[in-house]
Amino acid sequence: MSEPLLEVINLTTEFSSEGNITKAVKGISFELRRGEILAIVGESGSGKSVTSLSAMGLIKKPGRISPESQVIFHSKQEPVNFISLEDSDMRKYRGNRIAMIFQEPMTSLNPVFTCGDQVDEALILHLGLTKRQAKKRTIELFKEVLLPRPEEIYNSYPHQISGGQKQRVMIAMAISCNPDILIADEPTTALDVTVQKSILKLLKSLQLRLGMGIIFITHDLGVVAEIADRVVVMYRGDIVEEGNVKEVFHEPKHAYTKGLLACRPPMDKILKKLPTVNDFLEIDTNGKLIQRSTSISSIINQLEISKVERNQHQQVIYSQNPLLSIKDLSVHYPLKKGWLGNTIKVLKAVDSLSFDVFPGETLGLVGESGCGKTTLGRAILQLIRPTNGQVIYKGSNLCKLDDNAMREYRKDLQIIFQDPYSSLNPRITIGAAIKEPMDVHGIGIDSKARKEKVEELLDKVGLSAEMYNRYPHEFSGGQRQRVCIARALAVNPRFIICDESVSALDVSVQAQVLNLLNDLKKDFGFTYIFISHDLSVVKYMSDRMIVMNQGKIEEMGMADDIYEHPKKEYTKRLIDAIPKG
């Protein structure tokens, strides 16, 4: 057994608000060994990120770390307790000996500086390199993290590169000073499965080559199986289970761990609903945790449906006339113009696509970032005007309608966006946000009736009428997504596009939202196009599936058939990239 590199002893971190004290981390202890990848797993609010920020000395008021807490770094000279250091002294270690990759690269990278300048800064500050030396080293780092066109990306701003590329820039910045410890906080959340796989492979290779210890924070146990040596499972600020990955995966002892393992859609079974953490544990009226002695296999067996049942359901769907017909739909963007103003280079984001969508169907749309999924969804709803083609709904070609004529169809055709926070107005309550489309379309006899309808919808999506006057920032990510679902339902639509609507959610919350969407589909007879980069989620949700690549349809067919017998190499690559927990 290798020697400890970082020891966390009795760490307690608390936050005060209006006289109330909340303990985010409750006296936990664990260690990271040299050359080891330790995963910290749990849902949002479990204390994972607060633990890492505490170790980095990044907890600021109203946060407070208990003085009895210790975070001991075993440097090559002598042990150092990070908790006892002044901020000026901690700065010598932060970014140099202990570095961090943050969850959201877009908000972690400064939008007004180029990617190269931001990595240069760390090299100049900690290693004393000149600007020329720093640039040379940064380009070398960009090559190490397998960024394409490293010299070009050096001069690019964050908004000019993809999410996976931004994450690689963050990794290059974190390893620039050859740290002893790297903390990776949800570094692959919301990334394509193929990009995720390459990031995990990259981190593993860097760890082996540089001899780093890595703390890998995630809510996805499938990812843990791909990369970690040991795992710590956190729940409500406590460690509930700890051990090597094989032990925890094959013989989980705590009900919470079982719940996390069961939440992810299985690829080898068809379930009528996904298990959730609540199937394995509950909180009593005194706030005490009660574990149910339920096995994962028994829950899965109860929820499994046969292929015969699935086929009978799908025969009913495909015996009908299409609800929506897409014919030769294209969206092209000019990339380069000649000196006479004529377009000489075009990006074909969507390139002559044709397919039908049937009433009551969930049609999955899967592919990597940049394949055209979101552009296609928005073009169908005329949020982006297509270059050519037809979208036939109720006998009308929506592409030919002006904005005023299109407004009548907005009631029937709705979208749930990927990021619920940015799609909600932070200045109005969630009740007003849900009620607004009803006001615009004149649904309900008066304002009182509309408010009552909103309260019904809040109950329907698993929230409560008492939340009507709360603002978006007062909700968790999963709750905000439920608000957006309620807003889409407010106008009684027939057809809904779900655009990456669960990609950034915890696996447990994701399972709840997917179950909710399926329940609503049964209750209201909705038809969905479900857009995602996660093929396991698409397979679970969808009747049929379209695999997109570079604006074209790579493969189309029944979801189960495509997963079991993919015909194209691109589809096989997407399936192979799914973490096998």
Side-chain angles (χ1 to χ4, degrees):
M1 186 181 291
S2 56
E3 61 187 40
L5 179 59
L6 189 76
E7 285 185 279
V8 174
I9 303 170
N10 195 30
L11 177 65
T12 299
T13 306
E14 55 192 30
F15 295 86
S16 60
S17 175
E18 299 177 354
N20 297 317
I21 302 293
T22 301
K23 284 192 176 181
V25 178
K26 303 172 182 175
I28 66 170
S29 300
F30 64 89
E31 65 180 27
L32 172 71
R33 299 163 191 159
R34 291 190 184 276
E36 175 184 60
I37 299 180
L38 174 70
I40 301 180
V41 175
E43 299 168 285
S44 294
S46 63
K48 309 184 305 292
S49 294
V50 174
T51 298
S52 65
L53 293 171
S54 300
M56 291 284 290
L58 293 173
I59 298 294
K60 306 298 179 189
K61 289 185 178 179
R64 171 184 170 273
I65 300 174
S66 166
E68 294 81 30
S69 304
Q70 296 182 70
V71 176
I72 299 173
F73 168 52
H74 292 271
S75 70
K76 289 172 184 174
Q77 289 76 38
E78 59 180 351
V80 178
N81 183 6
F82 285 161
I83 302 297
S84 63
L85 295 181
E86 294 293 329
D87 199 50
S88 56
D89 294 322
M90 185 62 198
R91 228 173 272 136
K92 298 170 188 173
Y93 294 92
R94 192 189 301 132
N96 188 11
R97 305 271 45 90
I98 179 169
M100 189 165 181
I101 305 165
F102 293 95
Q103 179 173 355
E104 181 42 71
M106 192 64 228
T107 54
S108 304
L109 292 171
N110 193 323
V112 301
F113 292 103
T114 65
C115 296
D117 282 340
Q118 296 185 60
V119 181
D120 286 353
E121 183 183 20
L123 293 165
I124 293 166
L125 178 66
H126 290 296
L127 301 185
L129 302 188
T130 64
K131 177 65 177 173
R132 178 176 290 182
Q133 289 170 330
K135 179 178 180 180
K136 181 182 177 185
R137 177 61 184 142
T138 296
I139 291 173
E140 287 173 359
L141 285 164
F142 284 178
K143 290 176 182 175
E144 282 184 41
V145 298
L146 307 179
L147 274 167
R149 312 178 314 281
E151 290 86 359
E152 188 179 320
I153 287 179
Y154 180 92
N155 294 309
S156 299
Y157 290 90
H159 72 274
Q160 295 176 305
I161 60 178
S162 72
Q165 289 170 343
K166 282 193 279 278
Q167 198 61 281
R168 288 168 190 264
V169 170
M170 287 291 297
I171 293 170
M173 191 186 304
I175 66 168
S176 60
C177 300
N178 297 324
D180 297 293
I181 300 167
L182 179 65
I183 299 175
D185 187 2
E186 301 274 14
T188 59
T189 298
L191 294 181
D192 297 340
V193 284
T194 47
V195 176
Q196 173 178 271
K197 186 172 184 177
S198 65
I199 294 281
L200 295 178
K201 187 177 178 183
L202 170 64
L203 286 173
K204 189 79 174 176
S205 66
L206 289 170
Q207 180 256 337
L208 290 171
R209 187 166 57 80
L210 301 175
M212 295 184 296
I214 295 180
I215 295 176
F216 192 96
I217 296 170
T218 183
H219 60 254
D220 190 341
L221 280 163
V223 171
V224 172
E226 296 278 313
I227 193 169
D229 302 303
R230 285 191 307 122
V231 59
V232 166
V233 182
M234 289 190 70
Y235 179 70
R236 295 193 170 193
D238 283 319
I239 292 175
V240 296
E241 190 158 355
E242 182 177 359
N244 72 53
V245 169
K246 286 184 180 177
E247 285 175 356
V248 172
F249 268 69
H250 296 296
E251 295 181 22
K253 294 179 176 62
H254 199 277
Y256 180 66
T257 312
K258 294 177 186 177
L260 287 181
L261 284 165
C263 284
R264 189 159 180 80
M267 297 302 287
D268 58 342
K269 297 179 186 294
I270 305 167
L271 303 184
K272 57 187 172 189
K273 63 174 285 192
L274 290 174
T276 66
V277 169
N278 293 337
D279 291 318
F280 297 88
L281 56 80
E282 62 180 308
I283 309 294
D284 69 13
T285 52
N286 298 316
K288 186 181 176 184
L289 186 68
I290 300 172
Q291 298 191 51
R292 296 184 181 133
S293 57
T294 312
S295 70
I296 296 174
S297 58
S298 66
I299 289 281
I300 295 291
N301 290 339
Q302 289 171 29
L303 297 174
E304 188 175 4
I305 60 173
S306 67
K307 284 194 175 184
V308 173
E309 289 176 89
R310 175 114 152 169
N311 291 339
Q312 287 172 346
H313 165 72
Q314 290 171 343
Q315 282 173 8
V316 173
I317 289 174
Y318 299 118
S319 65
Q320 307 169 89
N321 293 323
L323 176 69
L324 199 70
S325 290
I326 314 301
K327 298 180 179 179
D328 295 318
L329 194 69
S330 295
V331 180
H332 296 170
Y333 295 109
L335 284 182
K336 191 175 180 181
K337 297 200 173 186
W339 64 279
L340 291 175
N342 56 315
T343 300
I344 57 176
K345 190 174 181 182
V346 169
L347 170 66
K348 296 181 178 181
V350 174
D351 193 13
S352 298
L353 301 192
S354 299
F355 58 91
D356 294 327
V357 187
F358 293 83
E361 177 184 29
T362 298
L363 176 65
L365 203 55
V366 70
E368 297 170 291
S369 292
C371 71
K373 306 185 301 291
T374 294
T375 303
L376 172 59
R378 296 186 180 201
I380 290 170
L381 298 184
Q382 304 303 300
L383 299 175
I384 297 171
R385 288 294 185 175
T387 307
N388 51 57
Q390 300 178 63
V391 178
I392 309 297
Y393 177 74
K394 287 186 175 178
S396 296
N397 181 5
L398 303 184
C399 301
K400 299 291 185 184
L401 303 180
D402 61 24
D403 290 343
N404 286 331
M406 187 63 209
R407 193 169 291 122
E408 279 303 307
Y409 289 90
R410 297 270 176 231
K411 288 184 287 186
D412 276 9
L413 312 170
Q414 284 289 304
I415 185 168
I416 302 167
F417 293 101
Q418 177 175 358
D419 182 358
Y421 195 74
S422 62
S423 58
L424 291 169
N425 188 332
R427 300 175 66 182
I428 66 173
T429 66
I430 60 107
I434 296 168
K435 183 169 167 282
E436 185 180 33
M438 298 169 69
D439 293 333
V440 169
H441 291 287
I443 294 171
I445 55 173
D446 56 24
S447 184
K448 183 183 176 185
R450 288 169 197 154
K451 184 180 178 185
E452 288 172 357
K453 172 74 171 175
V454 172
E455 290 172 344
E456 285 176 23
L457 287 169
L458 286 171
D459 284 328
K460 194 72 184 173
V461 299
L463 300 174
S464 68
E466 288 74 33
M467 297 176 174
Y468 187 97
N469 290 315
R470 292 190 193 174
Y471 289 87
H473 72 272
E474 298 179 81
F475 293 86
S476 69
Q479 288 174 323
R480 280 195 290 266
Q481 197 60 280
R482 290 168 186 266
V483 171
C484 291
I485 291 169
R487 185 176 59 179
L489 301 182
V491 290
N492 304 317
R494 292 188 65 198
F495 172 78
I496 300 175
I497 291 180
C498 303
D499 186 7
E500 299 277 13
S501 52
V502 296
S503 63
L505 300 179
D506 295 341
V507 283
S508 55
V509 178
Q510 173 181 281
Q512 294 168 18
V513 172
L514 294 177
N515 288 340
L516 171 64
L517 289 170
N518 278 335
D519 289 343
L520 293 169
K521 178 183 172 182
K522 276 186 262 182
D523 292 347
F524 294 97
F526 293 141
T527 301
Y528 292 132
I529 286 184
F530 193 90
I531 299 173
S532 179
H533 58 255
D534 188 335
L535 203 142
S536 63
V537 170
V538 171
K539 177 185 176 293
Y540 166 71
M541 288 294 289
S542 305
D543 299 297
R544 278 188 308 148
M545 183 192 300
I546 292 176
V547 181
M548 282 189 69
N549 184 21
Q550 297 183 347
K552 290 184 174 292
I553 292 176
E554 190 81 14
E555 196 163 346
M556 178 165 59
M558 304 309 289
D560 297 330
D561 293 342
I562 285 182
Y563 175 73
E564 291 168 10
H565 307 289
K567 295 181 174 65
K568 299 294 184 72
E569 283 303 316
Y570 178 78
T571 311
K572 291 176 185 175
R573 187 157 58 86
L574 286 181
I575 293 169
D576 290 341
I578 299 168
K580 308 297 190 292

